[in-house]
Amino acid sequence: MIKPIIVFHAHCPDGAMAAAVAYNHFKGDVDLVPASYQTPLDEVIPPEMLAPVPCPDCAPTGDASGILTCFGTCSTCDNEHVVKRVVYVLDFSFSPRDTDALAARVGEVVVLDHHKSAMEKYTGMMTADVKFVGKTD
């Protein structure tokens, strides 16, 4: 499994708890990224962190070029030899514009937020690449 990126609301008990739960769920194999509102997306998540990563199920050819090749058909990457990362955004939400930009660069964005304003902001935005899970009181 490719290490997911966990973006969580910084300086907030809800965000800290959400990050701790995600860290535990993924057994510590995550990139934790604190985020604050009004911070541009590229300052929250460095662009190099969003780049596709080598497919863990493809084997190197062993030559000096470092080109990866699959033995048979790779169902993990569909023979693309790279896998896009999944980003979980917890107790926080980017603007719809930034969320769309993020979704275009990664495999999937999952937003888990209990704030009513976030739920309203994401109405009609759900796609195969962006999922919003939230509940308001």
Side-chain angles (χ1 to χ4, degrees), residues 1-5 26 29 53-56 76 83-86:
M1 181 181 90
I2 301 301
K3 190 187 308 191
I5 300 169
F26 291 108
D29 196 21
V53 296
C55 176
T76 302
V83 179
K84 291 184 176 183
R85 297 184 74 180
V86 175

Side-chain angles (χ1 to χ4, degrees), residues 86-109:
V86 175
V87 178
Y88 292 88
V89 182
L90 310 179
D91 190 51
F92 174 83
S93 58
F94 293 106
S95 69
R97 180 179 176 181
D98 281 349
T99 301
D100 280 343
L102 181 59
R105 295 162 73 183
V106 299
E108 182 179 28
V109 177

